[in-house]
């Protein structure tokens, strides 16, 4: 993890462009941070240490996400948005996390069903739904939870079915619809 003056950064990018290595380097950068974030996904007692370490890389995550959007690298962008989104959410940056998830979901919508692994799509939809609830976007949260439920039922993912139903129940309760909840 290095920081450098903006002029040095721009010069380095010019050198990469001149050598024809900018895209390859940016792709490797995005892959590295997606894999790093995925490896730090919630599990085990050392989670807070892994999260704190990964939180130092928010600017790298943003750069990788910008590149993924520009290049329409949907799977890579969804992985980055899902894993870093969880961290942004935990650090109170819910709007940023939600914006990245929605932006990547928007790109995903035009990519076709086979472009993204179903488990990744479910993870991203669920995360976006939880954030929509936190932001008071009940209608959007309901749409997302219903989509998670549909995809989870289709794939037989019982844990995601349970999470989707819990979200739908909470949303119904918030609307005062006790029977639906």
């Amino acid at each position: 993890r290095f920081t450098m003056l903006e002029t040095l950064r721009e010069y380095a990018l010019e050198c990469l462009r001149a050598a024809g290595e900018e895209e390859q380097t940016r792709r490797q950068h995005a892959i590295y941070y997606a894999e790093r974030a995925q490896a730090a996904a919630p599990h085990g007692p050392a989670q807070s240490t892994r999260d704190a370490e990964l939180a130092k890389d928010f600017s790298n995550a943003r750069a990788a996400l910008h590149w993924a959007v520009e290049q329409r690298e949907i799977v890579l962008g969804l992985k980055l948005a899902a894993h870093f989104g969880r961290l942004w959410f935990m650090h109170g940056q819910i709007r940023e996390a939600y914006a990245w998830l929605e932006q990547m979901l928007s790109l995903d919508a035009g990519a076709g069903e086979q472009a993204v692994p179903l488990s990744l799509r479910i993870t991203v939809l669920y995360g976006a739904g939880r954030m929509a609830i936190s932001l008071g976007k009940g209608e959007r949260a309901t749409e997302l939870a219903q989509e998670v439920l549909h995809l989870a039922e289709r794939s037989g993912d019982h844990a995601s079915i349970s999470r989707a139903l819990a979200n739908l129940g909470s949303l119904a309760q918030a609307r005062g619809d006790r029977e639906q909840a």
Side-chain angles (χ1 to χ4, degrees), residues 70-145:
E70 289 169 10
Q71 299 302 311
R72 302 188 66 78
E73 286 282 345
I74 298 166
V75 173
L76 193 51
L78 285 170
K79 287 178 182 178
L80 285 159
H83 297 297
F84 276 98
R86 180 184 64 78
L87 286 174
W88 279 316
F89 183 85
M90 290 172 36
H91 283 83
Q93 296 169 287
I94 300 169
R95 290 188 194 289
E96 179 175 12
Y98 179 73
W100 281 116
L101 288 167
E102 284 287 11
Q103 187 169 15
M104 291 312 305
L105 284 171
S106 175
L107 287 176
D108 177 41
E113 184 123 344
Q114 307 306 319
V116 176
L118 197 53
S119 61
L120 177 58
R121 183 175 279 125
I122 289 170
T123 298
V124 172
L125 288 166
Y126 175 75
R130 292 299 304 156
M131 290 176 203
I133 290 170
S134 294
L135 293 170
K137 298 176 182 285
E139 192 173 313
R140 180 63 177 146
T142 300
E143 291 170 10
L144 291 163

Side-chain angles (χ1 to χ4, degrees), residues 49-63:
T49 304
R50 284 191 298 273
D51 285 349
E53 205 43 42
L54 200 55
K56 295 176 185 174
D57 287 315
F58 283 164
S59 60
N60 281 307
R62 287 182 192 100

